[in-house]
Amino acid sequence: MEFKKDNTFFTGRLKSVTYAVKGAIKLITTEHSVMVQFTTAVILTIAGFYFGITATEWLFQTLAIGLVLSIEGLNTAVEKIADFIHPDYHERIGFIKDIAAGSVFFAAVTAIIIGLIIYLPLFL
């Protein structure tokens, strides 16, 4: 199937956004780790309204949520490409997948620290 490039500004951007939304929905509905992270994001958003966090805290929380979900999406893409290229176990592919997973770990730890800074004082 060949995709014809749309060079018009508005419809081209609209198509790009449509593909991006489809990709986000695929991530949320098919990847278990993203399901957990998205659910956590919803819970933290509700908690933010409940506790009345500040605008600055909202900025950090939103950034942390976006960071984790974005990096998880990239990690999933790397894993899918690696599995497509080499479906059987291969040491180099495993190394690449481990590095991608490590980036998710860094993002998640950062998000946890941000969450603790925002919410821990509210419980103490």
Side-chain angles (χ1 to χ4, degrees):
M1 176 178 354
E2 186 177 323
F3 292 103
K4 186 175 179 184
K5 186 171 181 176
D6 189 340
N7 291 321
T8 60
F9 179 77
F10 182 74
T11 56
R13 298 308 66 79
L14 188 59
K15 284 181 182 177
S16 294
V17 170
T18 302
Y19 294 136
V21 169
K22 284 181 183 179
I25 291 169
K26 283 180 185 177
L27 267 173
I28 293 167
T29 58
T30 63
E31 296 299 316
H32 294 287
S33 57
V34 177
M35 290 176 195
V36 170
Q37 292 161 350
F38 184 76
T39 302
T40 303
V42 170
I43 291 167
L44 285 170
T45 301
I46 292 168
F49 284 113
Y50 178 80
F51 288 110
I53 63 176
T54 68
T56 303
E57 291 168 334
W58 273 114
L59 289 172
F60 280 105
Q61 178 170 295
T62 303
L63 183 63
I65 289 169
L67 175 71
V68 171
L69 291 173
S70 297
I71 299 297
E72 185 62 59
L74 291 172
N75 176 55
T76 299
V78 167
E79 288 181 353
K80 299 292 183 191
I81 290 168
D83 290 344
F84 179 76
I85 291 170
H86 204 294
D88 298 324
Y89 176 78
H90 190 280
E91 187 176 330
R92 286 186 177 172
I93 294 291
F95 181 78
I96 292 165
K97 291 166 90 174
D98 288 347
I99 290 172
S103 66
V104 176
F105 175 76
F106 287 135
V109 167
T110 301
I112 289 168
I113 292 168
I114 290 169
L116 289 172
I117 290 169
I118 293 171
Y119 292 102
L120 200 57
L122 301 172
F123 289 102
L124 296 178

